[in-house]
Amino acid sequence: MLDELRSEVLRYAKRMAALGLVPNTQGNVSARDLATGLIAITPHDYPYDAMVADDVVVVDVNGQRIEGRHDPSNETPVHCVVYRERPWVNGVVHSEPIYVNCFGALSQPIPPVVISLALAVGGEVPVMPFSPSTGSESFGYRMLEVMGERKAVIWANHGLLTIGKSLDAAFRCTVVVENAAQVYHLARQLGQPNLVSL
């Protein structure tokens, strides 16, 4: 089922890994099919370099596996909460970028230090307080409260989650946030960064 969508999820998962946005098998990528509402998501704990389209799992909006030979990502419940609560979202990316994780370790949001961040996210990237249970629906609901109208949220001590109208939009948002985190970190070494106001 959904061969094209599974191939798209695979393509972006491999791009995420190639850009160094995830170590080992961490992180996950999903996309929603507009016609059926079904979700294609990367499998749990599976190497990106070995992953093929058939390894991508298809689940319903409640996280029940419809097709696939592997278990879906442990954080599938969080993705499903996003899709149920944000009907306009059709792509979700959870990554572990180094600079974003530095700010997450400090529980510091990333402000709109570059215009691309302000446009992609809608303002600063807030921080979700640390929780060891990132694979639960309750975590997903709390995360959306922290995220508000933004399109990205930092998981303290754990990574970044971005959303978009498409998987491409969610992926681009991931790249923008990590780039902005690098710029903000370096700019603070030189002085007080000027922030963007839209």
PDB file of all heavy atoms in Angstrom, residues 63-95:
ATOM      1  N   GLY A  63      -2.356   4.781  15.011  1.00  0.00           N
ATOM      2  CA  GLY A  63      -1.096   4.090  15.196  1.00  0.00           C
ATOM      3  C   GLY A  63      -1.150   2.588  14.998  1.00  0.00           C
ATOM      4  O   GLY A  63      -0.154   1.902  15.240  1.00  0.00           O
ATOM      5  N   GLN A  64      -2.298   2.060  14.565  1.00  0.00           N
ATOM      6  CA  GLN A  64      -2.412   0.621  14.325  1.00  0.00           C
ATOM      7  C   GLN A  64      -1.739   0.248  13.009  1.00  0.00           C
ATOM      8  O   GLN A  64      -2.004   0.875  11.976  1.00  0.00           O
ATOM      9  CB  GLN A  64      -3.882   0.196  14.297  1.00  0.00           C
ATOM     10  CG  GLN A  64      -4.598   0.394  15.623  1.00  0.00           C
ATOM     11  CD  GLN A  64      -3.967  -0.392  16.750  1.00  0.00           C
ATOM     12  OE1 GLN A  64      -3.750  -1.606  16.629  1.00  0.00           O
ATOM     13  NE2 GLN A  64      -3.655   0.276  17.850  1.00  0.00           N
ATOM     14  N   ARG A  65      -0.863  -0.736  13.056  1.00  0.00           N
ATOM     15  CA  ARG A  65      -0.141  -1.127  11.850  1.00  0.00           C
ATOM     16  C   ARG A  65      -1.096  -1.726  10.825  1.00  0.00           C
ATOM     17  O   ARG A  65      -1.836  -2.651  11.112  1.00  0.00           O
ATOM     18  CB  ARG A  65       0.970  -2.125  12.191  1.00  0.00           C
ATOM     19  CG  ARG A  65       1.817  -2.503  10.985  1.00  0.00           C
ATOM     20  CD  ARG A  65       3.065  -3.260  11.367  1.00  0.00           C
ATOM     21  NE  ARG A  65       2.784  -4.393  12.241  1.00  0.00           N
ATOM     22  CZ  ARG A  65       3.711  -5.169  12.785  1.00  0.00           C
ATOM     23  NH1 ARG A  65       4.989  -4.930  12.577  1.00  0.00           N
ATOM     24  NH2 ARG A  65       3.375  -6.172  13.555  1.00  0.00           N
ATOM     25  N   ILE A  66      -1.025  -1.195   9.616  1.00  0.00           N
ATOM     26  CA  ILE A  66      -1.835  -1.677   8.506  1.00  0.00           C
ATOM     27  C   ILE A  66      -0.998  -2.563   7.596  1.00  0.00           C
ATOM     28  O   ILE A  66      -1.469  -3.585   7.092  1.00  0.00           O
ATOM     29  CB  ILE A  66      -2.420  -0.502   7.696  1.00  0.00           C
ATOM     30  CG1 ILE A  66      -3.247   0.421   8.597  1.00  0.00           C
ATOM     31  CG2 ILE A  66      -3.248  -0.998   6.515  1.00  0.00           C
ATOM     32  CD1 ILE A  66      -4.443  -0.222   9.242  1.00  0.00           C
ATOM     33  N   GLU A  67       0.250  -2.141   7.400  1.00  0.00           N
ATOM     34  CA  GLU A  67       1.140  -2.894   6.531  1.00  0.00           C
ATOM     35  C   GLU A  67       2.579  -2.615   6.919  1.00  0.00           C
ATOM     36  O   GLU A  67       2.919  -1.514   7.339  1.00  0.00           O
ATOM     37  CB  GLU A  67       0.908  -2.503   5.072  1.00  0.00           C
ATOM     38  CG  GLU A  67       1.693  -3.336   4.069  1.00  0.00           C
ATOM     39  CD  GLU A  67       1.311  -3.015   2.638  1.00  0.00           C
ATOM     40  OE1 GLU A  67       0.344  -3.611   2.140  1.00  0.00           O
ATOM     41  OE2 GLU A  67       1.958  -2.160   2.028  1.00  0.00           O
ATOM     42  N   GLY A  68       3.421  -3.631   6.756  1.00  0.00           N
ATOM     43  CA  GLY A  68       4.839  -3.469   7.044  1.00  0.00           C
ATOM     44  C   GLY A  68       5.368  -4.638   7.834  1.00  0.00           C
ATOM     45  O   GLY A  68       4.664  -5.213   8.668  1.00  0.00           O
ATOM     46  N   ARG A  69       6.622  -4.982   7.574  1.00  0.00           N
ATOM     47  CA  ARG A  69       7.203  -6.152   8.231  1.00  0.00           C
ATOM     48  C   ARG A  69       7.925  -5.805   9.520  1.00  0.00           C
ATOM     49  O   ARG A  69       8.411  -6.692  10.217  1.00  0.00           O
ATOM     50  CB  ARG A  69       8.159  -6.851   7.267  1.00  0.00           C
ATOM     51  CG  ARG A  69       9.292  -5.994   6.737  1.00  0.00           C
ATOM     52  CD  ARG A  69      10.125  -6.774   5.725  1.00  0.00           C
ATOM     53  NE  ARG A  69      11.222  -5.983   5.216  1.00  0.00           N
ATOM     54  CZ  ARG A  69      11.497  -5.843   3.925  1.00  0.00           C
ATOM     55  NH1 ARG A  69      10.716  -6.408   3.023  1.00  0.00           N
ATOM     56  NH2 ARG A  69      12.544  -5.138   3.541  1.00  0.00           N
ATOM     57  N   HIS A  70       8.010  -4.520   9.835  1.00  0.00           N
ATOM     58  CA  HIS A  70       8.682  -4.078  11.061  1.00  0.00           C
ATOM     59  C   HIS A  70       7.691  -3.378  11.977  1.00  0.00           C
ATOM     60  O   HIS A  70       6.596  -2.992  11.561  1.00  0.00           O
ATOM     61  CB  HIS A  70       9.814  -3.106  10.733  1.00  0.00           C
ATOM     62  CG  HIS A  70      10.831  -3.639   9.783  1.00  0.00           C
ATOM     63  ND1 HIS A  70      11.699  -4.653  10.109  1.00  0.00           N
ATOM     64  CD2 HIS A  70      11.108  -3.292   8.504  1.00  0.00           C
ATOM     65  CE1 HIS A  70      12.488  -4.908   9.080  1.00  0.00           C
ATOM     66  NE2 HIS A  70      12.149  -4.103   8.085  1.00  0.00           N
ATOM     67  N   ASP A  71       8.105  -3.185  13.215  1.00  0.00           N
ATOM     68  CA  ASP A  71       7.332  -2.324  14.109  1.00  0.00           C
ATOM     69  C   ASP A  71       7.561  -0.877  13.694  1.00  0.00           C
ATOM     70  O   ASP A  71       8.677  -0.502  13.319  1.00  0.00           O
ATOM     71  CB  ASP A  71       7.784  -2.503  15.560  1.00  0.00           C
ATOM     72  CG  ASP A  71       7.411  -3.856  16.129  1.00  0.00           C
ATOM     73  OD1 ASP A  71       6.385  -4.421  15.692  1.00  0.00           O
ATOM     74  OD2 ASP A  71       8.150  -4.347  17.008  1.00  0.00           O
ATOM     75  N   PRO A  72       6.533  -0.051  13.772  1.00  0.00           N
ATOM     76  CA  PRO A  72       6.743   1.367  13.475  1.00  0.00           C
ATOM     77  C   PRO A  72       7.567   2.030  14.571  1.00  0.00           C
ATOM     78  O   PRO A  72       7.747   1.467  15.651  1.00  0.00           O
ATOM     79  CB  PRO A  72       5.322   1.938  13.428  1.00  0.00           C
ATOM     80  CG  PRO A  72       4.536   1.034  14.324  1.00  0.00           C
ATOM     81  CD  PRO A  72       5.145  -0.342  14.168  1.00  0.00           C
ATOM     82  N   SER A  73       8.059   3.212  14.305  1.00  0.00           N
ATOM     83  CA  SER A  73       8.829   3.976  15.285  1.00  0.00           C
ATOM     84  C   SER A  73       8.129   3.997  16.638  1.00  0.00           C
ATOM     85  O   SER A  73       6.898   4.058  16.718  1.00  0.00           O
ATOM     86  CB  SER A  73       9.009   5.410  14.791  1.00  0.00           C
ATOM     87  OG  SER A  73       9.462   6.248  15.827  1.00  0.00           O
ATOM     88  N   ASN A  74       8.919   3.950  17.712  1.00  0.00           N
ATOM     89  CA  ASN A  74       8.350   4.038  19.061  1.00  0.00           C
ATOM     90  C   ASN A  74       7.585   5.336  19.281  1.00  0.00           C
ATOM     91  O   ASN A  74       6.739   5.423  20.169  1.00  0.00           O
ATOM     92  CB  ASN A  74       9.460   3.920  20.110  1.00  0.00           C
ATOM     93  CG  ASN A  74       9.825   2.477  20.412  1.00  0.00           C
ATOM     94  OD1 ASN A  74       9.212   1.547  19.892  1.00  0.00           O
ATOM     95  ND2 ASN A  74      10.832   2.289  21.244  1.00  0.00           N
ATOM     96  N   GLU A  75       7.901   6.359  18.496  1.00  0.00           N
ATOM     97  CA  GLU A  75       7.247   7.659  18.678  1.00  0.00           C
ATOM     98  C   GLU A  75       6.080   7.865  17.715  1.00  0.00           C
ATOM     99  O   GLU A  75       5.579   8.975  17.565  1.00  0.00           O
ATOM    100  CB  GLU A  75       8.289   8.766  18.553  1.00  0.00           C
ATOM    101  CG  GLU A  75       9.162   8.802  19.794  1.00  0.00           C
ATOM    102  CD  GLU A  75      10.556   9.360  19.594  1.00  0.00           C
ATOM    103  OE1 GLU A  75      10.963   9.620  18.446  1.00  0.00           O
ATOM    104  OE2 GLU A  75      11.250   9.532  20.603  1.00  0.00           O
ATOM    105  N   THR A  76       5.595   6.761  17.153  1.00  0.00           N
ATOM    106  CA  THR A  76       4.408   6.810  16.296  1.00  0.00           C
ATOM    107  C   THR A  76       3.216   7.462  17.000  1.00  0.00           C
ATOM    108  O   THR A  76       2.502   8.265  16.378  1.00  0.00           O
ATOM    109  CB  THR A  76       4.040   5.396  15.806  1.00  0.00           C
ATOM    110  OG1 THR A  76       5.113   4.902  14.982  1.00  0.00           O
ATOM    111  CG2 THR A  76       2.752   5.408  15.002  1.00  0.00           C
ATOM    112  N   PRO A  77       2.955   7.178  18.293  1.00  0.00           N
ATOM    113  CA  PRO A  77       1.813   7.839  18.951  1.00  0.00           C
ATOM    114  C   PRO A  77       1.898   9.362  18.910  1.00  0.00           C
ATOM    115  O   PRO A  77       0.864  10.042  18.800  1.00  0.00           O
ATOM    116  CB  PRO A  77       1.888   7.309  20.388  1.00  0.00           C
ATOM    117  CG  PRO A  77       2.546   5.976  20.266  1.00  0.00           C
ATOM    118  CD  PRO A  77       3.575   6.169  19.184  1.00  0.00           C
ATOM    119  N   VAL A  78       3.109   9.919  18.994  1.00  0.00           N
ATOM    120  CA  VAL A  78       3.269  11.379  18.942  1.00  0.00           C
ATOM    121  C   VAL A  78       2.921  11.890  17.552  1.00  0.00           C
ATOM    122  O   VAL A  78       2.200  12.894  17.393  1.00  0.00           O
ATOM    123  CB  VAL A  78       4.701  11.784  19.336  1.00  0.00           C
ATOM    124  CG1 VAL A  78       4.899  13.289  19.180  1.00  0.00           C
ATOM    125  CG2 VAL A  78       4.999  11.348  20.767  1.00  0.00           C
ATOM    126  N   HIS A  79       3.404  11.221  16.521  1.00  0.00           N
ATOM    127  CA  HIS A  79       3.074  11.608  15.155  1.00  0.00           C
ATOM    128  C   HIS A  79       1.557  11.566  14.946  1.00  0.00           C
ATOM    129  O   HIS A  79       0.976  12.473  14.345  1.00  0.00           O
ATOM    130  CB  HIS A  79       3.746  10.659  14.153  1.00  0.00           C
ATOM    131  CG  HIS A  79       5.229  10.816  14.044  1.00  0.00           C
ATOM    132  ND1 HIS A  79       5.854  11.190  12.873  1.00  0.00           N
ATOM    133  CD2 HIS A  79       6.212  10.640  14.950  1.00  0.00           C
ATOM    134  CE1 HIS A  79       7.166  11.228  13.069  1.00  0.00           C
ATOM    135  NE2 HIS A  79       7.409  10.899  14.333  1.00  0.00           N
ATOM    136  N   CYS A  80       0.923  10.505  15.438  1.00  0.00           N
ATOM    137  CA  CYS A  80      -0.519  10.358  15.254  1.00  0.00           C
ATOM    138  C   CYS A  80      -1.300  11.466  15.948  1.00  0.00           C
ATOM    139  O   CYS A  80      -2.301  11.965  15.411  1.00  0.00           O
ATOM    140  CB  CYS A  80      -0.972   8.985  15.745  1.00  0.00           C
ATOM    141  SG  CYS A  80      -0.408   7.620  14.700  1.00  0.00           S
ATOM    142  N   VAL A  81      -0.859  11.863  17.137  1.00  0.00           N
ATOM    143  CA  VAL A  81      -1.513  12.979  17.828  1.00  0.00           C
ATOM    144  C   VAL A  81      -1.416  14.246  16.981  1.00  0.00           C
ATOM    145  O   VAL A  81      -2.397  14.988  16.830  1.00  0.00           O
ATOM    146  CB  VAL A  81      -0.877  13.204  19.223  1.00  0.00           C
ATOM    147  CG1 VAL A  81      -1.302  14.558  19.796  1.00  0.00           C
ATOM    148  CG2 VAL A  81      -1.264  12.087  20.177  1.00  0.00           C
ATOM    149  N   VAL A  82      -0.256  14.490  16.408  1.00  0.00           N
ATOM    150  CA  VAL A  82      -0.088  15.669  15.554  1.00  0.00           C
ATOM    151  C   VAL A  82      -1.070  15.620  14.385  1.00  0.00           C
ATOM    152  O   VAL A  82      -1.763  16.610  14.095  1.00  0.00           O
ATOM    153  CB  VAL A  82       1.355  15.771  15.022  1.00  0.00           C
ATOM    154  CG1 VAL A  82       1.463  16.887  13.979  1.00  0.00           C
ATOM    155  CG2 VAL A  82       2.332  16.020  16.161  1.00  0.00           C
ATOM    156  N   TYR A  83      -1.162  14.486  13.718  1.00  0.00           N
ATOM    157  CA  TYR A  83      -2.050  14.380  12.551  1.00  0.00           C
ATOM    158  C   TYR A  83      -3.526  14.515  12.937  1.00  0.00           C
ATOM    159  O   TYR A  83      -4.314  15.101  12.197  1.00  0.00           O
ATOM    160  CB  TYR A  83      -1.820  13.051  11.836  1.00  0.00           C
ATOM    161  CG  TYR A  83      -0.496  12.981  11.102  1.00  0.00           C
ATOM    162  CD1 TYR A  83       0.423  11.971  11.373  1.00  0.00           C
ATOM    163  CD2 TYR A  83      -0.157  13.930  10.137  1.00  0.00           C
ATOM    164  CE1 TYR A  83       1.646  11.909  10.713  1.00  0.00           C
ATOM    165  CE2 TYR A  83       1.056  13.875   9.475  1.00  0.00           C
ATOM    166  CZ  TYR A  83       1.952  12.868   9.766  1.00  0.00           C
ATOM    167  OH  TYR A  83       3.155  12.813   9.102  1.00  0.00           O
ATOM    168  N   ARG A  84      -3.898  14.000  14.099  1.00  0.00           N
ATOM    169  CA  ARG A  84      -5.293  14.123  14.530  1.00  0.00           C
ATOM    170  C   ARG A  84      -5.636  15.544  14.942  1.00  0.00           C
ATOM    171  O   ARG A  84      -6.739  16.032  14.670  1.00  0.00           O
ATOM    172  CB  ARG A  84      -5.574  13.160  15.689  1.00  0.00           C
ATOM    173  CG  ARG A  84      -5.544  11.693  15.312  1.00  0.00           C
ATOM    174  CD  ARG A  84      -6.255  10.828  16.351  1.00  0.00           C
ATOM    175  NE  ARG A  84      -5.704  10.990  17.697  1.00  0.00           N
ATOM    176  CZ  ARG A  84      -4.755  10.222  18.226  1.00  0.00           C
ATOM    177  NH1 ARG A  84      -4.225   9.240  17.509  1.00  0.00           N
ATOM    178  NH2 ARG A  84      -4.325  10.424  19.459  1.00  0.00           N
ATOM    179  N   GLU A  85      -4.694  16.207  15.617  1.00  0.00           N
ATOM    180  CA  GLU A  85      -4.976  17.525  16.178  1.00  0.00           C
ATOM    181  C   GLU A  85      -4.652  18.677  15.225  1.00  0.00           C
ATOM    182  O   GLU A  85      -5.102  19.797  15.439  1.00  0.00           O
ATOM    183  CB  GLU A  85      -4.175  17.714  17.472  1.00  0.00           C
ATOM    184  CG  GLU A  85      -4.557  16.739  18.573  1.00  0.00           C
ATOM    185  CD  GLU A  85      -5.998  16.913  19.021  1.00  0.00           C
ATOM    186  OE1 GLU A  85      -6.408  18.065  19.265  1.00  0.00           O
ATOM    187  OE2 GLU A  85      -6.709  15.893  19.115  1.00  0.00           O
ATOM    188  N   ARG A  86      -3.856  18.424  14.198  1.00  0.00           N
ATOM    189  CA  ARG A  86      -3.487  19.447  13.211  1.00  0.00           C
ATOM    190  C   ARG A  86      -3.831  18.912  11.823  1.00  0.00           C
ATOM    191  O   ARG A  86      -2.975  18.377  11.119  1.00  0.00           O
ATOM    192  CB  ARG A  86      -1.986  19.774  13.290  1.00  0.00           C
ATOM    193  CG  ARG A  86      -1.491  20.290  14.645  1.00  0.00           C
ATOM    194  CD  ARG A  86      -1.890  21.734  14.868  1.00  0.00           C
ATOM    195  NE  ARG A  86      -1.236  22.291  16.051  1.00  0.00           N
ATOM    196  CZ  ARG A  86      -1.709  22.204  17.294  1.00  0.00           C
ATOM    197  NH1 ARG A  86      -2.842  21.539  17.519  1.00  0.00           N
ATOM    198  NH2 ARG A  86      -1.054  22.759  18.306  1.00  0.00           N
ATOM    199  N   PRO A  87      -5.092  19.023  11.412  1.00  0.00           N
ATOM    200  CA  PRO A  87      -5.532  18.416  10.149  1.00  0.00           C
ATOM    201  C   PRO A  87      -4.772  18.911   8.925  1.00  0.00           C
ATOM    202  O   PRO A  87      -4.732  18.213   7.901  1.00  0.00           O
ATOM    203  CB  PRO A  87      -7.017  18.815  10.067  1.00  0.00           C
ATOM    204  CG  PRO A  87      -7.428  19.088  11.479  1.00  0.00           C
ATOM    205  CD  PRO A  87      -6.207  19.646  12.142  1.00  0.00           C
ATOM    206  N   TRP A  88      -4.166  20.072   8.995  1.00  0.00           N
ATOM    207  CA  TRP A  88      -3.436  20.614   7.851  1.00  0.00           C
ATOM    208  C   TRP A  88      -2.043  20.007   7.707  1.00  0.00           C
ATOM    209  O   TRP A  88      -1.392  20.156   6.675  1.00  0.00           O
ATOM    210  CB  TRP A  88      -3.309  22.135   7.966  1.00  0.00           C
ATOM    211  CG  TRP A  88      -2.577  22.599   9.191  1.00  0.00           C
ATOM    212  CD1 TRP A  88      -3.114  22.891  10.409  1.00  0.00           C
ATOM    213  CD2 TRP A  88      -1.168  22.807   9.327  1.00  0.00           C
ATOM    214  NE1 TRP A  88      -2.135  23.280  11.297  1.00  0.00           N
ATOM    215  CE2 TRP A  88      -0.929  23.242  10.656  1.00  0.00           C
ATOM    216  CE3 TRP A  88      -0.080  22.693   8.454  1.00  0.00           C
ATOM    217  CZ2 TRP A  88       0.350  23.543  11.130  1.00  0.00           C
ATOM    218  CZ3 TRP A  88       1.186  22.987   8.927  1.00  0.00           C
ATOM    219  CH2 TRP A  88       1.393  23.406  10.242  1.00  0.00           C
ATOM    220  N   VAL A  89      -1.579  19.302   8.736  1.00  0.00           N
ATOM    221  CA  VAL A  89      -0.231  18.723   8.713  1.00  0.00           C
ATOM    222  C   VAL A  89      -0.230  17.409   7.929  1.00  0.00           C
ATOM    223  O   VAL A  89      -1.070  16.539   8.174  1.00  0.00           O
ATOM    224  CB  VAL A  89       0.289  18.492  10.147  1.00  0.00           C
ATOM    225  CG1 VAL A  89       1.606  17.710  10.114  1.00  0.00           C
ATOM    226  CG2 VAL A  89       0.475  19.815  10.870  1.00  0.00           C
ATOM    227  N   ASN A  90       0.733  17.271   7.023  1.00  0.00           N
ATOM    228  CA  ASN A  90       0.878  16.033   6.253  1.00  0.00           C
ATOM    229  C   ASN A  90       2.300  15.488   6.290  1.00  0.00           C
ATOM    230  O   ASN A  90       2.607  14.513   5.598  1.00  0.00           O
ATOM    231  CB  ASN A  90       0.432  16.250   4.809  1.00  0.00           C
ATOM    232  CG  ASN A  90      -1.051  16.564   4.731  1.00  0.00           C
ATOM    233  OD1 ASN A  90      -1.886  15.782   5.164  1.00  0.00           O
ATOM    234  ND2 ASN A  90      -1.371  17.733   4.207  1.00  0.00           N
ATOM    235  N   GLY A  91       3.179  16.121   7.083  1.00  0.00           N
ATOM    236  CA  GLY A  91       4.539  15.633   7.229  1.00  0.00           C
ATOM    237  C   GLY A  91       5.083  15.974   8.606  1.00  0.00           C
ATOM    238  O   GLY A  91       4.859  17.086   9.109  1.00  0.00           O
ATOM    239  N   VAL A  92       5.787  15.016   9.230  1.00  0.00           N
ATOM    240  CA  VAL A  92       6.378  15.203  10.558  1.00  0.00           C
ATOM    241  C   VAL A  92       7.802  14.645  10.534  1.00  0.00           C
ATOM    242  O   VAL A  92       8.026  13.544  10.019  1.00  0.00           O
ATOM    243  CB  VAL A  92       5.562  14.481  11.655  1.00  0.00           C
ATOM    244  CG1 VAL A  92       6.246  14.627  13.016  1.00  0.00           C
ATOM    245  CG2 VAL A  92       4.136  15.009  11.712  1.00  0.00           C
ATOM    246  N   VAL A  93       8.747  15.421  11.074  1.00  0.00           N
ATOM    247  CA  VAL A  93      10.145  14.988  11.135  1.00  0.00           C
ATOM    248  C   VAL A  93      10.649  15.165  12.563  1.00  0.00           C
ATOM    249  O   VAL A  93      10.577  16.265  13.121  1.00  0.00           O
ATOM    250  CB  VAL A  93      11.035  15.796  10.172  1.00  0.00           C
ATOM    251  CG1 VAL A  93      12.508  15.400  10.335  1.00  0.00           C
ATOM    252  CG2 VAL A  93      10.587  15.604   8.725  1.00  0.00           C
ATOM    253  N   HIS A  94      11.153  14.084  13.130  1.00  0.00           N
ATOM    254  CA  HIS A  94      11.838  14.159  14.431  1.00  0.00           C
ATOM    255  C   HIS A  94      13.310  13.859  14.192  1.00  0.00           C
ATOM    256  O   HIS A  94      13.659  12.788  13.698  1.00  0.00           O
ATOM    257  CB  HIS A  94      11.255  13.175  15.429  1.00  0.00           C
ATOM    258  CG  HIS A  94      12.093  13.011  16.664  1.00  0.00           C
ATOM    259  ND1 HIS A  94      12.552  14.093  17.396  1.00  0.00           N
ATOM    260  CD2 HIS A  94      12.589  11.912  17.281  1.00  0.00           C
ATOM    261  CE1 HIS A  94      13.281  13.657  18.412  1.00  0.00           C
ATOM    262  NE2 HIS A  94      13.325  12.334  18.360  1.00  0.00           N
ATOM    263  N   SER A  95      14.167  14.803  14.544  1.00  0.00           N
ATOM    264  CA  SER A  95      15.595  14.670  14.293  1.00  0.00           C
ATOM    265  C   SER A  95      16.377  14.965  15.572  1.00  0.00           C
ATOM    266  O   SER A  95      15.793  15.322  16.597  1.00  0.00           O
ATOM    267  CB  SER A  95      16.030  15.622  13.170  1.00  0.00           C
ATOM    268  OG  SER A  95      15.706  16.959  13.515  1.00  0.00           O
TER     269      SER A  95
END
